[in-house]
Amino acid sequence: MTTTLLQPGQIEAAAGRIPELRLPPADLFLTRARRLEQLSEHHTLDDYLRFIARLARAQQDRLDASPEEELPSPERLAQCREYGMPPLAPAGLTWPPDWRDTARHLARAMLPDLPAAGQAALQPILEGEDAWLDEQATCLFEGDLTRLNAATAPLIGAALQVHWVRLARQLDPAQVARPEHPNLCPVCGSHPVSSVVRIGGAENGLRYLHCALCASEWHVVRAKCSNCDNTRGIGYYHVEGGDNVVRAESCPECKTYLKIVQQDKDPLADPVADDLATLALDWLMDDTGYAKSGINWYLVQGQL
């Protein structure tokens, strides 16, 4: 009898056709808000997690109330598909014209629950020129944290997420090619927040990277660095005494890590909410000399 050892990817493919791309669901932000509210109970960051939960609910309200966005032309979508380019990359897209209104709407929605200092911190969104908001959005898109206002970044990022999630929901997975760079979103070209091991249906046991901007998810095999494709010496870390729902996958080659959120250990786990609730794991990884390869737009460290 001959035994064949399957390599990463072959193991998952053996189970059948793999859903390579998951576009965001209609209740994305509501589900996230509920998870954040659950995680905030008895958490040392309870106030912060509840604040982000309220922001996520405001995002859902805005997503539900706004009309569909204008997608790139069919010709442009076909060209992106042919050449493996993300069709919703901000650099190649006319930005939704009302995204600034969404930023101001979110700021107004959050004001009543904030102390005076927090309300003052959001005034640049309400009073700032359109050009300033565009500049802050560009900083987020380009990862330029030197010119980013840390106090307003989460709300500006949240506004952009609303519009890019709506755009992504209007696509068909068949319109999107596999990414040229597996560590970037095939839909919009952004970095992931974390990865998530899904449960149920054809996705059961598969790992997906979750986009920080449009919330699309793309399949990446397990036991493989999501940043550089290395498969040797991959290590896993977790906070001692925790529930092990979230682990950090580290790579000795590129010295980066990305969290893995495991729904088989908690079906309600969310790749964004659970990333925020496990900042202690980020501190642990920083102490070990690993840099995070992903980014969470609810927690961007810019300039004060």
Side-chain angles (χ1 to χ4, degrees), residues 111-140:
L111 282 179
D113 295 319
L114 291 176
Q119 293 181 6
L122 296 187
Q123 288 308 307
I125 294 179
L126 297 172
E127 301 172 359
E129 299 287 342
D130 286 354
W132 182 82
L133 288 169
D134 287 343
E135 178 189 31
Q136 291 297 295
T138 299
C139 289
L140 274 173

Side-chain angles (χ1 to χ4, degrees), residues 2-23:
T2 302
T3 300
T4 302
L5 296 179
L6 297 180
Q7 298 300 312
Q10 292 177 306
I11 298 172
E12 292 162 311
R17 185 174 180 273
I18 294 173
E20 294 286 352
L21 180 65
R22 300 181 75 255
L23 296 175

Side-chain angles (χ1 to χ4, degrees), residues 243-259:
D243 54 18
N244 211 21
V245 172
V246 180
R247 297 188 299 166
E249 182 181 76
S250 64
C251 174
E253 292 294 323
C254 64
K255 297 297 290 184
T256 68
Y257 76 95
L258 194 70
K259 292 177 186 173

Side-chain angles (χ1 to χ4, degrees), residues 203-223:
E203 302 159 2
N204 190 59
L206 299 181
R207 178 173 74 153
Y208 292 86
L209 299 188
H210 186 95
C211 178
L213 174 58
C214 75
S216 298
E217 294 183 352
W218 62 106
H219 174 250
V220 174
V221 299
R222 298 165 72 170

Side-chain angles (χ1 to χ4, degrees), residues 10-229:
Q10 292 177 306
I11 298 172
E12 292 162 311
R17 185 174 180 273
I18 294 173
E20 294 286 352
L21 180 65
R22 300 181 75 255
L23 296 175
D27 61 349
L28 171 80
F29 297 115
L30 178 59
T31 300
R32 181 158 299 155
R34 289 170 174 166
R35 178 60 172 173
L36 285 161
E37 290 161 356
Q38 178 190 37
L39 291 170
S40 70
E41 297 179 9
H42 312 296
H43 198 288
T44 55
L45 299 174
D46 53 351
D47 289 342
Y48 170 70
L49 294 176
R50 283 195 290 268
F51 170 78
I52 299 300
R54 292 194 296 272
L55 178 55
R57 285 186 177 273
Q59 286 178 286
Q60 186 69 54
D61 291 342
R62 188 67 173 179
L63 181 68
D64 292 341
S66 301
E68 289 190 343
E69 309 282 1
E70 183 177 354
L71 284 171
S73 68
E75 294 77 17
R76 174 64 177 172
L77 290 174
Q79 182 184 45
C80 290
R81 177 73 176 83
E82 180 180 359
Y83 293 101
M85 299 184 299
L88 302 184
L93 193 69
T94 300
W95 295 2
D98 57 341
W99 87 265
R100 304 179 203 91
D101 292 338
T102 295
R104 293 174 177 126
H105 172 86
L106 295 179
R108 287 192 293 270
M110 301 305 293
L111 282 179
D113 295 319
L114 291 176
Q119 293 181 6
L122 296 187
Q123 288 308 307
I125 294 179
L126 297 172
E127 301 172 359
E129 299 287 342
D130 286 354
W132 182 82
L133 288 169
D134 287 343
E135 178 189 31
Q136 291 297 295
T138 299
C139 289
L140 274 173
F141 287 142
E142 297 179 353
D144 180 2
L145 305 185
T146 61
R147 295 181 295 125
L148 192 65
N149 184 306
T152 59
L155 269 79
I156 290 175
L160 295 170
Q161 287 173 336
V162 168
H163 289 273
W164 259 262
V165 165
R166 187 182 296 116
L167 282 165
R169 283 187 43 75
Q170 295 171 223
L171 290 172
D172 186 298
Q175 295 174 298
V176 182
R178 285 287 295 170
E180 180 180 353
H181 304 287
N183 61 326
L184 298 178
C185 175
V187 174
C188 70
S190 300
H191 287 279
V193 177
S194 64
S195 67
V196 55
V197 177
R198 292 283 176 189
I199 57 173
E203 302 159 2
N204 190 59
L206 299 181
R207 178 173 74 153
Y208 292 86
L209 299 188
H210 186 95
C211 178
L213 174 58
C214 75
S216 298
E217 294 183 352
W218 62 106
H219 174 250
V220 174
V221 299
R222 298 165 72 170
K224 178 179 182 179
C225 176
S226 58
N227 187 56
C228 74
D229 286 344

